[in-house]
Amino acid sequence: MVVFVTNDKKIRDIVKYIGQGEDIVVTDKKGKYLGILQNDKAIRYLHRPDTEIEKIMIKLKPLKNYDIIEIIEKIINSNTRSVVVKEDDKIEFISIFDILNNVLEDKDILNKLKIEEIMNPVYTIEEKENVKKAVGLMKDKGVSRLIVVNEKGEAVGIISLSDILRKLLIENNENIRTPKEEDFDVEIRSIMNNRLIFVNKDENIENLIKLMINNKIFAVPVLDKGKPIGII
């Protein structure tokens, strides 16, 4: 989901949307499209609330037609979750979920792909560890999310850098706060998302895609007997 905001706004003006996880579509005062500001990028500027959103938005040039291959290439090359298509002076925003819906119609692709063939390495952290340990691990491994496990190594939740930054920097979903030293000692299990949405290693691709679309999620852990073995 996206929210439309004019280019005269600053980070402090969109804290509510950042807290809700919304991506921002930036327009001028006449409604002309200018660019996109992804939520995970906006979060990183909460400590600089006077930053003008126009200066940090991604200036994605609209595509001229709805070509699925071109759209996928644009999303991958620009590292964004959505692109803009302009046909007959009409602007349309295409998200990664729109792409997944298209993939669902291609049975050849669905039958050829296997979960274990497309999953990536996964990194875990025990639920009793603190925020400082989680941030350090993400930095060392170059990832933005970790699977949270219990003492038996079973997956019990997921935590992302965005989750942590929202917890540290946003108060009451609207106000910017200054992190305190003790915030970094908070246990992961108290702020993780314990509604873990996952697939088993032998699940089919069609069900995986439907799971992502229905829950509007970009990352899905892969489990084997309750323990994480990968992430998509």
Side-chain angles (χ1 to χ4, degrees), residues 147-183:
I147 305 304
V148 185
V149 298
N150 59 21
E151 294 178 347
K152 297 179 181 179
E154 299 166 331
V156 294
I158 187 169
I159 185 76
S160 70
L161 181 58
S162 296
D163 294 331
I164 293 174
L165 291 177
R166 288 192 189 96
K167 177 69 176 179
L168 295 180
L169 300 174
I170 299 180
E171 187 174 45
N172 298 325
N173 288 327
E174 292 188 7
N175 302 313
I176 297 174
R177 67 184 293 269
T178 300
K180 300 176 181 178
E181 189 173 342
E182 55 263 33
D183 290 335

Side-chain angles (χ1 to χ4, degrees), residues 41-196:
K41 183 174 183 178
I43 287 174
R44 288 162 171 75
Y45 284 85
L46 284 170
H47 68 294
R48 295 166 58 185
D50 289 324
T51 301
E52 297 174 2
I53 62 174
E54 186 173 15
K55 292 183 178 180
I56 58 174
M57 70 181 185
I58 301 174
K59 298 178 181 179
L60 284 178
K61 184 178 180 181
L63 298 175
K64 294 181 178 180
N65 55 67
Y66 195 106
D67 182 282
I68 189 67
I69 300 300
E70 189 176 356
I71 290 173
I72 292 174
E73 290 177 348
K74 188 78 168 182
I75 287 178
I76 294 174
N77 294 334
S78 60
N79 193 29
T80 61
R81 295 191 293 243
S82 58
V83 296
V84 181
V85 176
K86 184 178 182 180
E87 287 186 311
D88 300 323
D89 292 326
K90 181 182 179 181
I91 291 289
E92 184 177 359
F93 295 90
I94 310 298
S95 74
I96 192 170
F97 300 114
D98 296 317
I99 302 301
L100 290 175
N101 270 313
N102 273 276
V103 173
L104 280 178
E105 299 175 4
D106 193 328
K107 298 301 180 181
D108 288 335
I109 292 179
L110 296 178
N111 292 330
K112 290 178 181 178
L113 293 177
K114 304 295 181 183
I115 293 289
E116 291 184 278
E117 295 175 347
I118 62 173
M119 69 181 185
N120 295 309
V122 65
Y123 298 98
T124 64
I125 186 169
E126 286 197 15
E127 58 185 340
K128 294 181 180 179
E129 295 288 0
N130 60 25
V131 168
K132 183 177 181 180
K133 177 70 176 289
V135 173
L137 183 57
M138 289 180 189
K139 183 177 180 181
D140 290 343
K141 301 300 182 181
V143 297
S144 59
R145 55 179 52 83
L146 303 168
I147 305 304
V148 185
V149 298
N150 59 21
E151 294 178 347
K152 297 179 181 179
E154 299 166 331
V156 294
I158 187 169
I159 185 76
S160 70
L161 181 58
S162 296
D163 294 331
I164 293 174
L165 291 177
R166 288 192 189 96
K167 177 69 176 179
L168 295 180
L169 300 174
I170 299 180
E171 187 174 45
N172 298 325
N173 288 327
E174 292 188 7
N175 302 313
I176 297 174
R177 67 184 293 269
T178 300
K180 300 176 181 178
E181 189 173 342
E182 55 263 33
D183 290 335
F184 294 90
D185 294 324
V186 172
E187 290 186 350
I188 289 301
R189 59 182 170 185
S190 68
I191 64 172
M192 71 180 185
N193 185 346
N194 55 19
R195 181 176 173 264
L196 185 64

